[in-house]
Amino acid sequence: MYKNNLHKQIVELLQQTPINISKKDSSFFSRFIANATAIEALFKQLYAQNSQYSFYWKELLQSIIHAYTQRPLTLLERDEQKEQPTQWFLSNELVGMSLYVDRFCGNINNLENKLPYFKELGVNVLHLMPIFESPLHESDGGYAVSNFRKIDNRFGTLQDLQKLQNSMQQQQMYLMLDIVLNHTSHQHEWAIKAKKGEKKYQDFYYMFPNRQIPDLFDASMPEIFPESAPGNFTYVTDCNQWVMTVFHQYQWDLNYKNPEVFIAMLENIFFYANLGVDILRIDAPAFIWKEIGTTCQNLPQAHTLLQLIKCCVEVATPGMALLGEAIVAPKKIMQYFGTGLYEAHECDFAYNATQMALQWDALATQDVRVMLAAQEDLVKKPFGTSWITYTRCHDDIGLGYEDNSIRKAGYNPYEHRRYLKNYYSGNTDNSTARGALFSVNPKTQDARISGTLASLCGLEFALAQQNENFIEMAIAKIMMMQAQSFFLGGLPMLFYGDEVGYTNDYSYLNDPTKSYDNRWMHRPIIDWNKNDRKNIPGTIENTIFTQTQKLLQIRKNLPILSDYSNITWLTPHNIHVAGFMRSVGLERIYALFNYSNNAAYLTWYAFKEHGDAPKKLYNYINQQVYTVGADYEYFILPPYGMALLAPWLDVPLN
Ligand code: GLC
């Protein structure tokens, strides 16, 4: 809806700037006018009651204008290049890797020298785990930020980052960074001023003089780290107040009911955008709004805030896509893509954490039915948005998918999860997985799972046994898990170290600043002698690296694997085989994954359910052509094997 008064207000503000709305900045101006009504409506929903509403509204408009005027020319050009009929980030040509700069190669400067390594593997999106200033011993892996605009000395400087970003941009690579939106470190200048008693900054957080309100909140708020950081509030002796700390005690939750907090953090978002960030990972967005009597997660106002951020970014820095790191149940995750008028106008990306966890579920049970039951919700993702698909990341694996999916597969949810926890913590006889339980809640027995991809797939165990068959089996599992996330639809995000099979690193136990958090077991320190073995045929590193490389190359050659929300799951013909079809028009391709340690038989009928039955199929994995047989005959997948099959025409069509 167009509003004349908003148009006038914006024009007046722009007249005080060098912006030329009729010439070079005309598309910025069009975007501004097109989004103005939405921005105002969303801002009003959150802050209309604030006594200084008009003041903050003007501040917001000015922040948007300022961000645009600060945008470097190269990024303005890149914004234009990214404008395509379909979103740039849906492309099958993108592949990412998440890494800790210091643990990967020391610092940002060294990372520039590693760009050929990523290229060789086929990675062109780099997610640098938090690099902004964070107290060394209270950092939660960098997710406790004490200065949003200063790179931590450990990693380098802003200039180093800019240099890296420039080289990456020249080499058609993309940069992803985090904005830790929900909280700051207790060492952030706002927190320091709050500790000193400055009311203005105490209002940046949820601070209370006694336990009365904290108790009301605590009554309905779950605990995130029940073992290492129980409760949701911490007593601050300096100012004699209780402050909300949902994560660790040194991470203070920001109070977004205060418009000043919102605007200050939006300006940090713009600062990152203007550094050349292509994908901004919004950390923990499910938590950003709190209300007494609720879980304080996934509240409607959290979505309003995200939609508001999206609209502002669309106006000032449109080339930056937003990834919402909401690790929540399937029905809830859909809402992060936006609903109603805002469908596909909230987060551009979300993690497909449900699919990731369900792949681990299927691997432990050799049964894909729970995975299939959950897809009903996941396939509803709107066109124009995408998933981050992955098997491992720096965090634990949560088993938070719906009980109902487990029941539909015929299992009891409690027993089923107990089995999975035992399986991955190596607590059952039939398990080769070597992981550990993370954040066990003594009250509910809920727990998540830590461990590297390789250790959870049995490589650590196989190496200890020096058993070649087990090693081969573990590698087959690793590749099958990865391949499913490469072909599913979305941007695959590898986790550093997995490309050469790092097993768990237990040295974190000797470091008192890390020993309380077993997620460090799967955050390796890269040993480049080990990684260089990728060049020596016959080594485990070489096998995993080259197979990963090959799978990524296959993905890059097949535009049908772009995320056009074009997935159809095959009806289950065999409980061990997960299968889906990706299609565009009449073109299609089938991906199949065998989660069993035996060969799996799939009736040829599986390929005849959708559209014309193909006569022959070409398998991109082993380059073989198969003749589609009768319904009572079978296509056979090896143990933990996979296939990527496209209809094959002997005679090219005229
Ligand atoms: C996110 C991060 C996690 C961190 C938490 C608190 O979930 O991925 O590592 O502990 O936020 O910032």
Side-chain angles (χ1 to χ4, degrees):
M1 183 196 313
Y2 170 74
K3 283 195 176 174
N4 188 259
N5 63 328
L6 278 179
H7 188 150
K8 267 178 66 188
Q9 192 180 10
I10 290 168
V11 171
E12 271 164 29
L13 287 173
L14 290 177
Q15 271 161 359
Q16 299 155 26
T17 71
I19 290 175
N20 183 340
I21 60 173
S22 60
K23 288 237 166 77
K24 67 175 179 34
D25 304 309
S26 63
S27 45
F28 163 71
F29 183 61
S30 310
R31 291 196 303 271
F32 211 165
I33 299 303
N35 278 285
T37 308
I39 294 177
E40 189 196 38
L42 293 163
F43 193 70
K44 268 195 178 156
Q45 271 181 50
L46 297 169
Y47 303 117
Q49 306 307 323
N50 190 289
S51 57
Q52 290 173 282
Y53 170 81
S54 308
F55 169 81
Y56 287 119
W57 169 242
K58 197 168 161 202
E59 289 272 292
L60 174 63
L61 295 180
Q62 268 163 344
S63 297
I64 296 172
I65 296 168
H66 182 73
Y68 176 72
T69 56
Q70 295 300 302
R71 195 141 177 86
L73 192 61
T74 51
L75 294 180
L76 291 172
E77 284 165 9
R78 195 154 152 109
D79 288 343
E80 263 177 44
Q81 287 157 15
K82 283 178 178 167
E83 270 175 30
Q84 294 159 12
T86 54
Q87 304 280 32
W88 63 273
F89 51 77
L90 304 180
S91 166
N92 60 306
E93 291 179 21
L94 298 187
V95 175
M97 181 184 275
S98 279
L99 57 93
Y100 289 97
V101 173
D102 51 346
R103 301 171 89 77
F104 188 75
C105 60
N107 58 36
I108 298 174
N109 274 334
N110 294 343
L111 194 58
E112 205 178 328
N113 303 329
K114 296 289 178 204
L115 296 184
Y117 178 83
F118 301 114
K119 288 202 136 181
E120 186 189 353
L121 181 61
V123 162
N124 53 5
V125 177
L126 293 187
H127 171 211
L128 311 188
M129 300 294 295
I131 47 175
F132 286 88
E133 196 177 73
S134 173
L136 183 59
H137 298 308
E138 293 177 323
S139 88
D140 186 22
Y143 286 102
V145 179
S146 51
N147 188 335
F148 289 102
R149 304 215 181 179
K150 181 175 180 293
I151 306 264
D152 201 294
N153 292 337
R154 275 173 279 168
F155 306 112
T157 62
L158 267 183
Q159 284 73 25
D160 298 340
L161 182 67
Q162 302 245 248
K163 204 162 145 273
L164 173 74
Q165 192 276 334
N166 270 329
S167 316
M168 286 176 62
Q169 190 168 329
Q170 275 163 23
Q171 300 180 48
Q172 280 78 49
M173 294 180 79
Y174 297 87
L175 177 66
M176 171 164 147
L177 292 185
D178 282 81
I179 176 87
V180 185
L181 204 63
N182 179 64
H183 44 256
T184 72
S185 155
H186 74 124
Q187 303 278 17
H188 189 281
E189 65 165 317
W190 300 335
I192 292 173
K193 288 180 179 164
K195 282 185 202 170
K196 286 193 181 137
E198 282 189 46
K199 175 85 175 78
K200 170 174 159 137
Y201 290 100
Q202 293 191 339
D203 289 347
F204 271 45
Y205 300 96
Y206 290 88
M207 275 202 142
F208 305 99
N210 54 45
R211 284 286 323 177
Q212 199 189 344
I213 295 179
D215 283 344
L216 291 175
F217 269 114
D218 263 342
S220 53
M221 285 174 87
E223 291 167 311
I224 306 302
F225 298 134
E227 284 175 319
S228 57
N232 288 294
F233 287 84
T234 299
Y235 183 66
V236 187
T237 41
D238 309 64
C239 59
N240 210 9
Q241 303 256 346
W242 289 88
V243 68
M244 187 184 280
T245 53
V246 168
F247 291 89
H248 293 102
Q249 274 135 9
Y250 50 79
Q251 289 164 306
W252 289 18
D253 287 61
L254 285 166
N255 178 5
Y256 282 93
K257 291 185 176 168
N258 179 349
E260 208 171 338
V261 170
F262 171 72
I263 292 172
M265 291 305 286
L266 181 69
E267 287 174 355
N268 286 330
I269 290 176
F270 285 145
F271 178 76
Y272 292 172
N274 284 341
L275 287 176
V277 170
D278 297 289
I279 303 175
L280 185 71
R281 178 186 184 275
I282 301 181
D283 186 59
F287 297 84
I288 54 181
W289 196 275
K290 280 89 174 176
E291 293 290 343
I292 290 172
T294 72
T295 57
C296 297
Q297 290 182 31
N298 306 307
L299 296 186
Q301 295 89 336
H303 291 286
T304 309
L305 266 172
L306 292 171
Q307 287 157 8
L308 181 55
I309 293 172
K310 175 68 188 161
C311 290
C312 297
V313 166
E314 240 166 33
V315 173
T317 60
M320 183 171 75
L322 301 180
L323 156 63
E325 187 254 344
I327 309 299
V328 298
K331 283 197 173 46
K332 293 258 186 282
I333 194 68
M334 284 306 148
Q335 295 170 2
Y336 286 84
F337 293 116
T339 45
L341 265 183
Y342 294 95
E343 186 175 290
H345 282 280
E346 191 172 319
C347 294
D348 301 297
F349 283 103
Y351 283 92
N352 200 339
T354 299
Q355 172 64 25
M356 178 276 297
L358 289 171
Q359 289 184 203
W360 289 108
D361 178 307
L363 195 74
T365 57
Q366 306 197 28
D367 180 347
V368 302
R369 284 176 298 170
V370 185
M371 184 195 296
L372 296 187
Q375 301 305 329
E376 196 185 329
D377 290 317
L378 298 176
V379 294
K380 293 184 186 140
K381 179 175 70 59
F383 187 87
T385 62
S386 196
W387 295 117
I388 296 291
T389 57
Y390 64 120
T391 52
R392 287 303 290 118
C393 70
H394 69 289
D395 277 332
D396 45 284
I397 302 167
L399 305 173
Y401 36 92
E402 314 278 353
D403 283 357
N404 216 13
S405 307
I406 303 178
R407 279 196 209 98
K408 274 192 193 156
Y411 297 115
N412 168 300
Y414 181 82
E415 291 300 330
H416 186 72
R417 288 202 178 88
R418 191 163 68 168
Y419 171 78
L420 297 175
K421 286 179 283 184
N422 283 334
Y423 183 89
Y424 285 115
S425 55
N427 254 338
T428 49
D429 291 342
N430 73 343
S431 172
T432 59
R434 290 292 173 266
L437 296 184
F438 173 70
S439 262
V440 181
N441 187 326
K443 294 169 216 154
T444 59
Q445 289 310 308
D446 277 348
R448 286 112 74 180
I449 293 153
S450 283
T452 66
L453 173 67
S455 287
L456 294 178
C457 285
L459 188 60
E460 185 176 328
F461 170 81
L463 288 171
Q465 302 281 313
Q466 299 187 323
N467 181 319
E468 285 301 322
N469 289 338
F470 286 173
I471 293 178
E472 214 175 284
M473 193 74 94
I475 295 178
K477 286 185 190 176
I478 292 172
M479 297 326 305
M480 185 203 53
M481 292 288 281
Q482 295 288 59
Q484 189 160 355
S485 83
F486 298 169
F487 300 150
L488 188 72
L491 166 51
M493 190 60 70
L494 288 106
F495 190 59
Y496 79 111
D498 288 345
E499 77 283 11
V500 284
Y502 272 77
T503 53
N504 294 337
D505 174 358
Y506 299 101
S507 66
Y508 78 99
L509 288 167
N510 305 324
D511 177 347
T513 67
K514 296 196 170 73
S515 55
Y516 64 88
D517 186 341
N518 69 21
R519 289 177 298 175
W520 287 102
M521 75 168 60
H522 55 248
R523 299 170 178 176
I525 296 175
I526 293 302
D527 164 5
W528 283 95
N529 289 326
K530 175 178 167 68
N531 286 46
D532 285 345
R533 283 205 291 273
K534 71 173 172 47
N535 299 325
I536 307 174
T539 58
I540 291 176
E541 292 81 4
N542 177 267
T543 311
I544 300 179
F545 190 92
T546 50
Q547 289 190 23
T548 307
Q549 200 179 31
K550 180 180 143 198
L551 292 171
L552 294 179
Q553 197 54 51
I554 294 174
R555 173 184 154 91
K556 286 196 181 175
N557 289 339
L558 292 169
I560 194 171
L561 297 177
S562 296
D563 191 5
Y564 299 134
S565 299
N566 56 344
I567 187 167
T568 309
W569 286 79
L570 303 183
T571 46
H573 293 262
N574 178 329
I575 65 162
H576 307 301
V577 179
F580 51 79
M581 182 179 87
R582 307 284 309 279
S583 55
V584 175
L586 291 177
E587 207 190 321
R588 62 206 135 126
I589 196 160
Y590 300 90
L592 299 167
F593 306 91
N594 176 12
Y595 278 83
S596 143
N597 58 2
N598 288 307
Y601 291 69
L602 193 73
T603 152
W604 287 110
Y605 182 69
F607 304 98
K608 302 177 186 173
E609 285 178 310
H610 304 278
D612 291 343
K615 303 237 170 344
K616 288 186 175 181
L617 290 165
Y618 173 73
N619 186 356
Y620 282 89
I621 304 295
N622 62 7
Q623 291 91 39
Q624 282 193 27
V625 178
Y626 298 82
T627 301
V628 175
D631 293 353
Y632 54 84
E633 291 173 340
Y634 299 97
F635 174 74
I636 304 169
L637 282 159
Y640 300 112
M642 61 181 125
L644 187 66
L645 299 158
W648 174 262
L649 304 169
D650 286 326
V651 189
L653 288 175
N654 294 322

